[in-house]
Amino acid sequence: MTTHTANEEKRDERFEYLPCNLCGADDYAVVYHAAPPDARKVTSDNYSAASFHILEDQVVKCNKCGFLYINPRPKSEMIVKGYSDAVDETYVSQSEGRLATFKEGLARIEKAYPQKGRILDVGCAAGFFVKTAKEGGWDAYGVEPSRWLAEWGNNNLGLNLKSGTLEEAAYPNNYFDVVTLWDVLEHVPDAAATLKEIHRILKPGGLVVVNYPNIGSNLAKVFGRKWWFLLSVHLYYFTPHTIKKMLEHNGYEMVVHKHHYQKLKIGYLVFRVKPYSKALFKVLNPLVQKLGLADKDVTYYASQSLAIGKKK
Ligand SMILES: [Zn+2]
């Protein structure tokens, strides 16, 4: 590993160079090098709820606290624009698998917060979790930067989702019992700022629920650079240690940390193999279609973890 500080590097105008979002230090070592600049496509199309544009960016590790993040990265405006403009039919097509995953997620939340109450899903996409929570007896809200997804949820799921960023929604102080971030914290331009804003709108003792791809997991270690969660859309890479620190720095106590299981259709999982191995996809896809497995739900553990923080 080579050590750099941001000001020593030759800078590319399309990118911004950032200090550590966890401890503020501007002192890091490169863990994964970026693809050569000429080979890279830097466009807002890389940013959407279901984007799986494989990582071409540089991943660094903070020398002070060990936090892993993409640095430098495309400017925040481009990232937010990408999410605002996103049209995600592949995301919406996975509604049944997502509903099943969210039912289990809600049950996990109710274990930690049995009294129910007012819940907000940040980056709610088309609102499948909001719908699940509403049916479970919660007063459920959702906010989503993609106008297309929020509108799809409002029209097709009968919800009242807000389109825009969390900050733009400007919810009142001490308003929510629970705020959820399903596959979201690693995508937001400023993870610490998002957790601070959630802290403001949570009631004292309220919960923030975060699931994240765990780069400290054995799967991440075994697959290294080929780990499937190393994506351009994932700006931050948490471990159980750094998520705990991140929660603590922003006013929470971590009260739950566990494996997070997901459900998806087999056909969709096979589709996700394609960017990694066209050869494998060509073998698997006809097989799955022939056996009629494409629409079958599977439960799988793909190195995701769930952390719950309680507002102090
Ligand atoms: Zn740090």
Side-chain angles (χ1 to χ4, degrees):
M1 279 200 274
T2 44
T3 299
H4 296 274
T5 56
N7 43 14
E8 286 169 1
E9 274 173 79
K10 192 168 160 273
R11 299 195 168 204
D12 181 326
E13 285 298 305
R14 296 171 299 173
F15 296 91
E16 58 185 350
Y17 293 76
L18 298 154
C20 173
N21 196 254
L22 176 49
C23 78
D26 186 9
D27 177 16
Y28 55 82
V30 175
V31 177
Y32 295 126
H33 287 279
D38 301 346
R40 297 180 60 180
K41 290 192 299 281
V42 181
T43 86
S44 59
D45 294 346
N46 296 351
Y47 302 94
S48 74
S51 170
F52 41 81
H53 183 79
I54 294 173
L55 184 80
E56 293 177 339
D57 310 83
Q58 174 170 278
V59 175
V60 303
K61 184 175 189 174
C62 172
N63 282 331
K64 197 172 155 209
C65 75
F67 189 44
L68 290 149
Y69 60 106
I70 288 182
N71 195 32
R73 70 182 193 207
K75 296 200 164 143
S76 297
E77 306 89 77
M78 186 188 290
I79 295 171
V80 172
K81 185 180 183 307
Y83 286 118
S84 308
D85 296 345
V87 173
D88 268 325
E89 273 150 17
T90 49
Y91 185 90
V92 167
S93 71
Q94 288 308 303
S95 57
E96 284 167 55
R98 284 180 208 281
L99 283 170
T101 304
F102 285 144
K103 252 189 194 147
E104 282 172 27
L106 187 69
R108 185 69 264 246
I109 290 167
E110 289 174 355
K111 240 187 196 175
Y113 206 92
Q115 60 269 48
K116 300 192 183 178
R118 194 179 285 138
I119 194 166
L120 169 68
D121 191 25
V122 175
C124 66
F128 294 116
F129 179 72
V130 179
K131 180 180 155 74
T132 306
K134 194 176 158 192
E135 287 171 359
W138 292 74
D139 185 12
Y141 294 64
V143 60
E144 165 57 40
S146 159
R147 289 178 293 269
W148 187 88
L149 281 167
E151 215 162 277
W152 192 96
N154 290 341
N155 294 336
N156 295 281
L157 303 177
L159 300 170
N160 186 20
L161 309 173
K162 270 196 184 184
S163 105
T165 65
L166 171 64
E167 286 77 6
E168 285 164 357
Y171 293 108
N173 291 341
N174 308 317
Y175 193 63
F176 292 103
D177 294 277
V178 176
V179 175
T180 52
L181 296 158
W182 300 112
D183 304 311
V184 165
L185 194 60
E186 65 275 17
H187 293 249
V188 299
D190 187 340
T194 297
L195 287 172
K196 282 197 185 89
E197 173 65 1
I198 291 170
H199 190 271
R200 182 186 70 75
I201 63 178
L202 269 178
K203 295 176 183 172
L207 303 181
V208 64
V209 178
V210 179
N211 85 311
Y212 70 96
N214 180 351
I215 201 166
S217 65
N218 290 331
L219 283 169
K221 285 176 188 153
V222 167
F223 284 88
R225 177 91 214 204
K226 290 202 180 316
W227 188 48
W228 44 91
F229 283 119
L230 288 174
L231 301 174
S232 293
V233 279
H234 292 161
L235 308 175
Y236 301 110
Y237 294 92
F238 296 98
T239 64
H241 175 73
T242 57
I243 194 77
K244 182 169 184 279
K245 289 280 166 228
M246 188 59 117
L247 288 169
E248 286 171 0
H249 280 209
N250 294 292
Y252 307 88
E253 176 199 352
M254 190 165 82
V255 291
V256 172
H257 189 275
K258 62 184 283 287
H259 282 347
H260 181 69
Y261 296 91
Q262 289 182 291
K263 286 182 200 266
L264 276 181
K265 300 218 175 293
I266 291 177
Y268 183 72
L269 285 181
V270 169
F271 176 67
R272 288 288 308 268
V273 166
K274 203 174 172 184
Y276 297 93
S277 170
K278 286 207 172 68
L280 185 60
F281 176 77
K282 274 188 184 155
V283 174
L284 285 178
N285 195 41
L287 192 67
V288 161
Q289 301 296 340
K290 200 174 167 195
L291 297 174
L293 295 174
D295 276 335
K296 218 171 151 44
D297 278 328
V298 279
T299 298
Y300 65 101
Y301 168 69
S303 59
Q304 294 238 41
S305 291
L306 178 81
I308 300 183
K310 189 175 184 176
K311 176 175 172 176
K312 283 195 282 201

